[in-house]
Amino acid sequence: MGIHGLSKVIADNAPAALKEVPIKACFGRKVAVDASMSIYQFLIAVRQQDGMQLTNEAGETTSHLMGMLYRTIRMFENGIKPVYVFDGKPPDMKSNELKKRGVKREGAEKAAAAAEETGDTENFDKFSRRTVKVTKEHNDDCKKLLKLMGVPYIEAPCEAEAQCAILAKSGKVYAAGSEDMDTLTFGTPVLMRHLTFSEARKMPVVEIELAKVLEGLEMTMDQFIDMCILLGCDYCDSIKGIGPTRAVSLIKEHKNIETILEKLDSKKYPAPEDWPYQAARELFRAPNVTKAEELDVKWEAPDEEGVVAYLVGEKGFNEDRVRSAIQKLIKTRTGTTQGRLGDYFKPVEKPAGSTSAAKRKMDAKAASGSAKKKGGSFMKKK
DNA sequence: CCTCTCACTGGAGACGCG
DNA sequence: CCGCGTCC
DNA sequence: ACGTCCAGTGAGAG
């Protein structure tokens, strides 16, 4: 669930931290991506008309492999080298949150089963998407595919987002590529959003720079973490009646949650009972991660025959499609390491030249520029 | 009237053809 | 440049 | 053996 409302807080209070980056300027960048989150999205989205996932003849789901294969290749075509990070064991503090989600999913499972029985495809589709769960098999399938593709992956001991942040902090990758704002709370210096579908949807990549977030909010990192806890994180409740506006001003005035609890009118804004905000804070400050020095992150040549044997032989993919996909990977991969290594740390944003690609980018940018900037409204979710 | 919170909802991938 | 069906 | 996250809506409190 990330940090509740953080993206709006940043947009309102630290706009300078946000930068729209043409996808071209991302060429050569290495990025850490939360694998489980990607798989989850594929399992939800990659379906056929009847709401069923794609499967091979044996009935094994293939939606996640399809998504992983093509999205990864698309990133490579743009010169972006992903390293996938898999979740480990969730922290104990998350168990309350997880229990809530489990109960919800059970309800959805029942509703989906009922809809299936009565032949209500619309409702079956709707509810079955809410029953999606990434299993060990899904993860293992994707690890096998990535290995064959020559794309590195890491198994995090705990939260993938925290591991992504460490990789970026250490310089092993340029940024964490995620939609999940708590990657910033875990301390990634740069967060890249809308990375995966920027080309397909003409949505610009947005970079969020942590240093500028802190500058704009006039907070230290510790104050920022406390603010995130007040906004609402996965690890503990927040104070009822304190939303984005009050969270920002309370931290600015009192600097930390301890002082806020002293000064705040506890009749009006009672803190949750047995509120483990200090433990949550500790999870953000010092998360359980593997040290970056111990990790080996290398992109290798894809094993075309291996990929074909797996996807075509075992999973029923179309051979021509798989081979041409791998060819794209091989072509862009060698192109990347040969020519472009030089400009890989310069994020320069420039007006762009005269290529058709550049022109398309500018059009997309202009369109999105007029459609957005609408900062007044209030948005809420659950 | 304005500001804010909360609850509920829907939609979400990538490709290629016409 | 789209809308929409197909991928497995 | 878990797991989203945004954006739009409306109701209600202060």
Side-chain angles (χ1 to χ4, degrees):
Chain A
M1 180 167 155
I3 305 298
H4 192 242
L6 179 56
S7 65
K8 183 163 164 44
V9 167
I10 291 173
D12 291 347
N13 296 277
L18 300 166
K19 187 168 65 168
E20 285 190 11
V21 179
I23 191 96
K24 235 183 151 191
C26 301
F27 208 97
R29 296 248 177 97
K30 303 171 182 177
V31 173
V33 178
D34 180 342
S36 305
M37 188 79 73
S38 306
I39 294 170
Y40 184 77
Q41 289 171 350
F42 295 137
L43 290 175
I44 286 173
V46 183
R47 284 163 186 260
Q48 32 194 2
Q49 294 101 314
D50 60 5
M52 300 293 284
Q53 294 170 336
L54 304 183
T55 61
N56 66 0
E57 286 193 355
E60 299 165 323
T61 298
T62 51
S63 295
H64 54 310
L65 293 168
M66 171 82 71
M68 191 67 110
L69 175 73
Y70 287 115
R71 181 182 283 179
T72 303
I73 287 169
R74 168 167 286 255
M75 282 193 231
F76 264 85
E77 284 181 307
N78 286 292
I80 296 162
K81 294 159 90 174
V83 47
Y84 284 96
V85 179
F86 287 84
D87 269 327
K89 184 176 152 335
D92 292 339
M93 291 204 64
K94 213 170 175 174
S95 56
N96 268 343
E97 177 70 23
L98 297 184
K99 208 174 289 173
K100 269 188 246 166
R101 293 175 190 173
V103 169
K104 261 190 189 167
R105 206 182 49 243
E106 274 173 36
E109 271 164 14
K110 275 181 200 144
E116 192 174 23
E117 205 141 301
T118 60
D120 184 347
T121 55
E122 194 175 316
N123 271 318
F124 171 72
D125 189 17
K126 190 169 94 184
F127 286 115
S128 71
R129 283 174 202 252
R130 298 185 202 170
T131 68
V132 164
K133 183 167 75 169
V134 178
T135 65
K136 184 176 188 309
E137 284 68 39
H138 295 134
N139 281 315
D140 289 346
D141 286 349
C142 288
K143 287 174 193 173
K144 183 169 180 180
L145 176 63
L146 291 170
K147 182 109 180 130
L148 293 167
M149 290 174 76
V151 176
Y153 64 82
I154 288 166
E155 317 211 33
C158 196
E159 300 272 52
E161 296 301 341
Q163 188 70 55
C164 290
I166 285 294
L167 284 166
K169 250 189 196 172
S170 76
K172 290 243 172 183
V173 299
Y174 170 79
S178 174
E179 304 308 306
D180 204 338
M181 297 297 287
D182 59 11
T183 321
L184 281 172
T185 321
F186 282 120
T188 188
V190 179
L191 178 62
M192 293 175 85
R193 306 189 85 195
H194 312 150
L195 187 58
T196 57
F197 40 87
S198 58
E199 188 83 14
R201 302 253 194 101
K202 302 182 193 95
M203 203 184 286
V205 173
V206 176
E207 273 189 22
I208 308 178
E209 207 180 316
L210 180 57
K212 289 188 179 165
V213 171
L214 300 179
E215 203 177 297
L217 285 166
E218 298 176 298
M219 288 180 193
T220 64
M221 187 61 198
D222 283 345
Q223 290 164 10
F224 178 69
I225 288 172
D226 275 17
M227 181 195 72
C228 288
I229 293 171
L230 288 179
L231 289 175
C233 66
D234 286 349
Y235 304 128
C236 63
D237 291 330
S238 51
I239 302 174
K240 291 271 176 285
I242 305 297
T245 308
R246 291 188 178 118
V248 171
S249 68
L250 284 171
I251 291 290
K252 281 192 177 176
E253 188 177 353
H254 301 302
K255 309 301 182 195
N256 57 51
I257 293 178
E258 281 80 357
T259 313
I260 289 170
L261 288 178
E262 277 174 33
K263 308 284 183 183
L264 197 64
D265 181 349
S266 62
K267 299 239 164 49
K268 224 157 139 192
Y269 302 110
E273 236 174 293
D274 301 323
W275 193 33
Y277 69 89
Q278 286 165 322
R281 173 195 282 161
E282 212 42 42
L283 277 179
F284 284 122
R285 288 187 187 179
N288 179 8
V289 291
T290 304
K291 287 198 183 72
E293 309 90 74
E294 297 168 18
L295 295 170
D296 186 29
V297 179
K298 282 218 174 67
W299 288 263
E300 319 217 320
D303 170 4
E304 176 169 351
E305 295 313 316
V307 174
V308 168
Y310 182 48
L311 291 184
V312 179
E314 288 184 44
K315 300 296 181 182
F317 280 55
N318 177 288
E319 177 162 356
D320 291 342
R321 288 172 198 245
V322 171
R323 285 201 188 272
S324 87
I326 296 296
Q327 283 309 313
K328 276 198 240 174
L329 182 59
I330 291 170
K331 206 166 288 177
T332 56
R333 213 187 82 88
T334 52
T336 305
T337 47
Q338 294 292 334
R340 301 297 198 131
L341 268 175
D343 57 15
Y344 118 81
F345 43 92
K346 231 340 194 242
V348 193
E349 187 158 4
K350 50 172 217 130
S354 53
T355 69
S356 67
K359 220 157 74 182
R360 231 175 349 141
K361 291 295 134 49
M362 294 197 63
D363 292 345
K365 211 181 164 183
S368 77
S370 62
K372 79 178 192 120
K373 270 302 105 136
K374 220 287 169 173
S377 76
F378 224 79
M379 44 124 209
K380 216 65 297 170
K381 41 153 283 195
K382 56 140 358 159

